């Protein structure tokens, strides 16, 4: 590819989605018109399937559900008037709630009458956290500042997240909030209402509130499906508020539902513009001409790059600090949707599309060495914004500012990769704001939808996740059995292997060892090690410490 | 593999490095004794090569330098008494400097006499930031709290990082420091002293200091090679202090040099223990019996898993919030070291070992679906700590705490992956502290060193990084040419293609377009768009705005 032909090719394939504010350059993705023509029929079928899904078809065949995240930003497309009304009402409710919080009409109970909420702590994991974390990092101060000027969000809340069951991690976040806990709104987000990590985070948080004499229920908001365990808890304990999750919205596509809208609105982010950006991109990506449809083009590029088997990983390199968390968000959206054992007809296919990346130019100083010189098993998705997104900065050289270098490094890396035959595409946003973030989210959601059609997998279930959860529950049962047996045999000490046999679980000796080692390492737990020797010969004894 | 044999296999292959406090389980990595025997000769050669390197051989043949990061924590191994003295002196200097800062003997100029430094802003990228960021996130409050009890670090500094040339990202960090800028120590870290992103961050920071009437030099500390541009600048402007970088320490293995030690010490982290942990692990991984050498075992497992070509990616899953940044640190250490075009004899090999991952159990709700059901193109490295690392937490069920679930999810996911034939290894640390973090860093450093020997690449250069930098410099030159030409032809307007031709760079039309689009999108720059039409037909004109 000569330089001149690279300009011709750039012009020939540049896809501009004006209304959505997106521009996609696929010229460095190693394909030609014949490749596009060869996929035309499959692309047509993918468009048909997506249209059927938007009309209410049971797209999630595994779980026998329609898939309606596109309705969230275009409620008039919802298949029934009742659904449309519910979506619209929820958006209104979120906005009203946020504005009541900002205005102090909804305020902390314990504090003085003029106090307002200052922090929001979101407790959730996976689809209930990754979208909100990405949006918060991308937009929080940007949007709060823009609104602040007009006064509507000068009381924007500061976000915190609990997204794991690591006690040290939980302690760190709660310590960070510290004395401000009394001015903290807690958002407990779980579609099923039964996610263990979320329940654990909620219980520790409630304990922290109670320890400080604060009424947890008066600070707590649930986002969950009607009738879930969490819904029942929130109602029975009279939590401040509950917002709905619907079974036709998957966790990984829930960022334009109350899951994403509520924390965004509380941070002063313009939720209507986020929805408008997503709606505009949805509209642009219903286009049947592949050359003018950036989501369809993207899915075709994924297909060409990886031979329809994901043989090349997607390396996400936003040249923009605010998009650092986008790859982490995409890991769920893409890998949980596409990483499937079987096609829809049950054939074993072991599909997937690996996603990783952080940000440029930072990653140029980390793994770009391998991208250029090493294994050719990836394609890069560059992302950048035209506007700097901050006040004018001083020159670092005559006529040159830091942002000029940011673009320079992106184009330089793109050229250096291309020179070695490595593939890349480039997504250009006009700026980082609620509209463009909404559009970008919708772009990748639909690209995933199209690609799932091209490779014939159900993008909307996650059967493999259950196995790990069940196995974990088994480990907890084992811990209970081990503790119970050692307690009732407190006069002696036993190895892991002996303990496993004694409780009738000789095949679980490995897990018994891991459980005992961990309990013994924590002084406040009731197991201790006697006569160590090497690790595997350690003998454990019950020692009735005053458990908390 | 039956459950009983899994326990036998676990016991058979468990590698316990007592002094380093590490335990490595490789039982789920799909290899057998014959595989180990087959690699015995190669492993022996790798041990010999590492021993020669530690004795001062020119291990970095590409850049004709010895490689001495192991001397940093065992100065008595340095090849000359002068080098030994320099290493020891630097450690002492770092500790003295940090304790002077903590005690207020070194203090901000502008503030009142009792004021102390409260923040440290590290400006660096790649090897000058990833290690310090990882260590800060893993250890900061843990260690400050431990020391705080004995009073020695009750004035620990809070860390901030600038690791890019994104003006909005820089603005966000500087705004976050805000009014505390007068109590902020600035650490400018660049081995070569010529890293553009670092220079840009430093210039913007200096501008921010000056705008507030603060004397930047009195707040600024350089960590750089003697005689570098940065060294010269720091001396000529009389910066507060300079600490040395050595040419025998690579950026990605510099965390136990002043690069990592200085910010760690300022945060109140026990730098001597960090070094002791690294030294203990170095000692444990000089062991010639592969079965007792966790770094050598790890490198052999990488080799078996990926056929010596990196065909399986390393997915890093620490079940520990504090280790979230470890995979990002490892991406550089592993991929920049191993992602090479040629073997040491010049043969094209296109090697590499891809690294990604965040933390468990969070990632179970993101991409673990693909790991279990989808492409079998990875192995997992689980990492966990036995001690919770926080005060006792309330039960979430009778006798069960959040940390029990964290282990349960890890073991559950390990079992669910194993059930489907997916590979994993598990690294167990006693706790998260300076010693164990030092040991873990040293473990992976040496595993990378061994693996590079097994695949015969130079782990210590990064030739591919230069190409992108050069191409970026070309883009900046192009911007200057474009701006200059448009300025001198301000009476008209031109398309990108016309501009490229006019400046004699018709082959660079694509970059000219990108440059013009970005400049035009930022109101304060002197380019504007006239008569848009579709993007590619846009015409640009010089508009002499009052540049800052």
């Amino acid at each position: 590819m000569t330089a001149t032909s690279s300009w011709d090719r750039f012009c020939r394939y540049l896809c501009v989605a004006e209304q959505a504010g997106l521009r996609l350059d696929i010229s460095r993705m190693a394909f030609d018109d014949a490749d596009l023509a060869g996929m035309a029929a499959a692309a047509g079928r993918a468009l048909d399937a997506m249209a059927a899904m938007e009309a209410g078809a049971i797209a999630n065949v595994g779980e026998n559900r329609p898939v309606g995240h596109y309705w969230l930003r275009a409620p008039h497309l919802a298949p029934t008037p009742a659904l449309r009304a519910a979506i619209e009402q929820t958006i209104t409710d979120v906005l009203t709630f946020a504005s009541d919080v900002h205005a102090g009409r909804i305020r902390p109970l314990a504090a003085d009458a003029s106090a307002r909420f200052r922090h929001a702590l979101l407790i959730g994991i996976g689809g209930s956290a990754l979208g909100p974390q990405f949006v918060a990092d991308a937009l929080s101060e940007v949007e709060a500042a823009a609104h602040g000027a007009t006064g509507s969000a000068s009381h924007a809340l500061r976000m915190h997240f609990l997204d794991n069951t690591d006690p040290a991690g939980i302690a760190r976040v709660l310590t960070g909030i510290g004395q401000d806990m009394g001015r903290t709104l807690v958002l407990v987000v779980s579609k099923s209402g039964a996610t263990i990590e979320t329940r654990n985070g909620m219980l520790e948080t409630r304990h922290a509130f109670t320890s400080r004499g604060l009424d947890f229920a008066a600070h707590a908001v649930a986002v969950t499906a009607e009738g879930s365990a969490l819904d029942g808890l929130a109602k029975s304990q009279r939590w401040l508020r509950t917002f709905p999750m619907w079974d036709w919205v998957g966790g990984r596509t829930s960022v334009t539902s109350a899951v994403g809208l509520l924390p965004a609105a509380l941070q002063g982010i313009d939720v209507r513009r986020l929805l408008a950006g997503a709606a505009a991109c949805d509209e642009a990506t219903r286009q049947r001409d592949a050359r003018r449809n950036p989501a369809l083009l993207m899915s075709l590029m994924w297909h060409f790059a990886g031979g329809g088997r994901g043989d090349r990983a997607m390396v996400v390199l936003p040249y923009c600090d605010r998009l650092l968390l986008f790859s982490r968000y995409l890991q769920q959206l893409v890998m949980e949707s596409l990483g499937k054992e079987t096609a829809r007809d049950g054939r074993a296919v072991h599909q997937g599309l690996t996603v990783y990346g952080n940000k440029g130019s930072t990653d140029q100083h980390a793994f770009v060495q391998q991208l250029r010189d090493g294994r050719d098993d990836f394609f890069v998705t560059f992302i950048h914004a035209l506007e700097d997104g901050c006040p004018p900065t001083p020159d670092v050289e005559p006529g040159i500012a830091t942002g000029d270098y940011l673009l320079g490094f992106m184009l330089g890396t793109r050229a250096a990769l291309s020179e070695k035959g490595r593939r890349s595409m480039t997504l250009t946003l006009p700026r980082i704001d609620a509209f463009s973030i909404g559009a970008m989210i919708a772009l990748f959601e639909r690209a995933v939808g199209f690609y799932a059609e091209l490779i014939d997998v159900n993008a909307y279930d996650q059967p493999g996740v259950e196995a790990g959860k069940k196995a974990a529950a088994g480990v907890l049962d084992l811990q209970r059995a081990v503790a119970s047996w050692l307690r009732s045999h407190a006069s002696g000490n036993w190895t892991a292997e002996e303990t496993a046999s004694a409780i009738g679980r000789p095949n679980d000796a490995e897990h018994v060892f891991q459980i005992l080692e961990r309990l013994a390492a924590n002084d406040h737990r009731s197991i201790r090690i006697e006569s160590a020797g090497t690790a595997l010969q350690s003998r454990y004894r019950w020692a009735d410490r005053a458990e908390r």
Side-chain angles (χ1 to χ4, degrees), chain A residues 117-463:
Chain A
F117 283 112
R118 295 174 53 183
H119 303 264
L121 171 64
L122 188 152
I123 307 176
I125 192 167
S128 299
L130 291 163
Q133 285 168 323
F134 163 59
V135 169
D137 198 46
L139 293 177
S140 57
E141 305 96 347
V142 178
E143 291 280 319
H147 284 216
T150 64
S152 67
S154 49
H155 295 282
L157 270 56
R158 192 172 152 220
M159 285 304 300
H160 308 261
F161 294 91
L162 286 185
D163 68 349
N164 200 2
T165 182
D166 174 358
I170 295 172
R172 179 184 232 181
V173 170
L174 295 179
T175 304
I177 296 174
Q179 295 305 318
D180 269 359
M181 200 168 285
R183 294 172 169 217
T184 301
L185 202 57
V186 181
L187 316 178
V188 184
V189 184
S190 169
K191 180 177 164 186
S192 72
T195 311
I196 292 285
E197 292 91 334
T198 305
R199 182 207 62 175
N200 290 358
M202 186 270 288
L203 290 173
E204 285 217 16
T205 303
R206 187 168 74 188
H207 179 83
F209 270 76
T210 310
S211 308
R212 286 161 194 260
L214 296 165
D215 176 7
F216 179 73
H219 292 245
V221 176
V223 182
T224 189
E226 211 181 311
S228 77
L230 174 58
D231 187 44
L233 184 77
K235 280 176 181 150
S236 72
Q237 298 183 344
R238 297 170 181 273
W239 286 17
L240 185 56
R241 185 67 178 260
T242 302
F243 290 93
M245 273 289 279
W246 292 291
D247 67 358
W248 43 268
V249 177
R252 57 189 174 274
T253 53
S254 67
V255 65
T256 56
S257 77
V259 170
L261 299 183
L262 178 61
L266 290 168
Q267 289 167 89
I269 293 166
D270 188 340
V271 154
R272 294 264 184 215
R273 291 287 295 159
L274 187 86
L275 292 169
C281 187
D282 287 341
E283 191 53 41
T285 53
R286 288 184 189 110
Q287 164 67 252
R288 291 194 69 92
D289 176 359
R291 298 274 289 272
R292 296 166 59 203
N293 182 331
L296 185 52
L297 269 189
M298 205 181 243
S299 70
L300 291 169
M301 295 303 123
W302 298 352
H303 201 272
F304 297 146
R309 298 172 305 273
D311 287 347
R312 281 192 171 79
M314 184 189 327
V315 178
V316 181
L317 284 187
Y319 276 65
C320 181
D321 287 358
R322 287 193 172 271
L323 301 184
L324 173 66
L325 298 186
F326 191 53
S327 61
R328 213 181 293 169
Y329 169 79
L330 279 186
Q331 281 179 329
Q332 188 199 29
L333 178 64
V334 174
M335 295 175 77
E336 200 169 66
S337 298
L338 302 176
K340 296 291 155 72
E341 181 164 12
T342 59
R344 281 179 293 201
D345 64 4
R347 275 173 303 126
V349 291
H350 298 292
Q351 274 286 1
L353 178 55
T354 300
V355 175
Y356 64 92
N358 303 293
K359 66 173 182 178
S361 67
T362 310
D363 284 344
Q364 283 179 229
H365 298 260
F367 58 76
V368 169
Q369 163 66 34
Q370 177 170 319
L371 299 191
R372 184 175 140 98
D373 283 359
R375 296 172 55 83
D376 182 10
D377 59 0
F378 68 92
F379 59 93
V380 170
T381 302
F382 291 108
I383 306 175
H384 71 129
L386 295 175
E387 291 182 17
D388 279 351
C390 62
T393 58
D395 282 358
V396 292
E397 293 163 22
I400 300 292
T402 45
D404 299 329
Y405 268 105
L406 191 63
L407 178 69
F409 284 126
M410 187 186 84
L411 295 177
T413 296
R414 176 173 170 276
L417 291 175
S418 194
E419 199 178 282
K420 291 275 188 172
R422 303 303 194 268
R423 298 156 201 229
S424 70
M425 58 184 137
T426 303
L427 177 66
T428 303
L429 310 176
R431 68 195 64 81
I432 303 298
D433 65 4
F435 186 91
S436 70
I437 294 296
M440 189 168 70
I441 287 169
L443 177 71
F444 280 88
E445 281 179 355
R446 197 170 297 249
V448 166
F450 283 133
Y451 187 80
E453 294 298 330
L454 297 180
I455 63 170
D456 190 28
V457 301
N458 177 2
Y460 308 104
D461 62 359
Q462 50 283 328

Side-chain angles (χ1 to χ4, degrees), chain A residues 445-497:
Chain A
E445 281 179 355
R446 197 170 297 249
V448 166
F450 283 133
Y451 187 80
E453 294 298 330
L454 297 180
I455 63 170
D456 190 28
V457 301
N458 177 2
Y460 308 104
D461 62 359
Q462 50 283 328
V465 172
E466 291 309 309
K469 288 187 193 172
K470 273 182 203 155
V475 174
L476 271 293
D477 287 342
L478 190 63
Q479 178 176 324
R480 290 185 193 93
V482 164
S484 163
W485 190 86
L486 285 174
R487 178 173 211 160
S488 59
H489 296 77
S491 59
N493 58 56
W494 286 270
T495 66
E497 196 170 343

Side-chain angles (χ1 to χ4, degrees), chain A residues 16-145:
Chain A
V16 181
E18 292 282 0
Q19 276 72 26
L22 302 173
R23 189 187 296 165
L24 181 68
D25 155 37
I26 53 173
S27 62
R28 306 288 175 113
M29 281 299 287
F31 71 96
D32 59 24
D33 283 350
D35 293 321
L36 286 177
M39 288 296 283
R45 287 191 298 273
L47 285 159
D48 293 342
M50 294 295 282
M53 182 172 106
E54 292 199 271
I58 303 296
N60 183 354
V61 288
E63 299 173 353
N64 193 34
R65 290 175 188 165
V67 173
H69 50 275
Y70 301 111
W71 309 332
L72 297 168
R73 48 259 190 167
H76 64 281
L77 295 181
T80 69
L83 215 50
R84 173 182 180 160
I87 296 166
E88 287 172 345
Q89 188 60 52
T90 300
I91 297 170
T92 306
D93 288 350
V94 162
L95 288 168
T96 305
F97 180 81
S99 102
D100 285 348
V101 167
H102 293 156
R105 289 185 292 273
I106 295 175
R107 60 180 193 78
L109 256 194
D112 64 277
S114 68
R116 301 184 197 203
F117 283 112
R118 295 174 53 183
H119 303 264
L121 171 64
L122 188 152
I123 307 176
I125 192 167
S128 299
L130 291 163
Q133 285 168 323
F134 163 59
V135 169
D137 198 46
L139 293 177
S140 57
E141 305 96 347
V142 178
E143 291 280 319

